[in-house]
Each structure stands twice: as C-alpha cells, then as structure tokens.
Amino acid sequence: MPFVYIVIENSADEPSGGGVFPTTYKTFEEAKAAAIGKYQDEINRQTEDLGDNSAIKEVDVPESKTGFTSLYIEKGIHIYIHKLPVKILKSKTRRRK
C-alpha cells in the first residue's frame, strides 16, 4: 500500500497556532526537510546560542516505526510528521468497445 507524509506544526508564534503544511510528501526525508527548512533560522540560532549541536539532535531524528514522528524546534514549536496510507480505489466505470 502506498503512503504519503503530512507535516503538522504546533506553533505558539503563529496566531492560528500552526496547522498542516499545504503539501503532502512522498518520503519521510522530504517531509522532514520541509519542516527543517521552514525553521532553519531558529535551528541555526539555537546552535550558535548553545555552542553545540543539541538543537540539531532534536530535529534530525529517524522516522518512527509507529508512523508518527515528533520534531522539537524550540519553545512552543513542535512539528509532527504523520505517515498515512493511501487507499487506491478501483474504477467502477467500464470502457466502451
């Protein structure tokens, strides 16, 4: 069965509180790259402030076997990547000869 990945953000910095990214992704790596790309400035700032790579360790995580992976960006910003199955329905229309 094929899968797609969606990215959901829970951000206290946004008036709406975050939401679903408007794109589905074919792979976990694509979804993670989109999330990291959006918050790259915050990740870089944390790395500089802390003087180590601990901020990277919280976003550069492997895909969870449960299909629900959580990335922590900074205080108030959490990213969730969900792996969702795609059910392909067979067409019930007949072709004319």
Side-chain angles (χ1 to χ4, degrees):
M1 179 179 295
F3 293 91
V4 295
Y5 294 83
I6 62 167
V7 178
I8 299 172
E9 64 181 319
N10 177 12
S11 173
D13 294 338
E14 299 204 15
S16 64
V20 178
F21 279 35
T23 305
T24 57
Y25 303 93
K26 291 181 181 180
T27 67
F28 173 78
E29 291 303 322
E30 289 175 350
K32 184 170 75 170
I36 290 172
K38 181 173 181 180
Y39 291 103
Q40 190 65 57
D41 290 341
E42 286 86 351
I43 295 167
N44 291 342
R45 183 182 46 76
Q46 281 186 3
T47 301
E48 289 173 10
D49 290 349
L50 297 172
D52 62 18
N53 288 333
S54 61
I56 301 298
K57 292 176 186 174
E58 296 187 34
V59 294
D60 193 18
V61 297
E63 180 178 357
S64 170
K65 292 182 182 186
T66 66
F68 178 83
T69 306
S70 178
L71 313 177
Y72 178 74
I73 304 297
E74 68 176 347
K75 184 177 178 181
I77 302 175
H78 301 271
I79 303 291
Y80 308 104
I81 300 174
H82 293 268
K83 180 180 181 180
L84 302 174
V86 176
K87 185 174 182 181
I88 299 174
L89 302 175
K90 292 183 179 182
S91 174
K92 292 186 180 184
T93 60
R94 293 184 181 184
R95 293 186 179 175
R96 295 182 183 188
K97 293 183 181 180

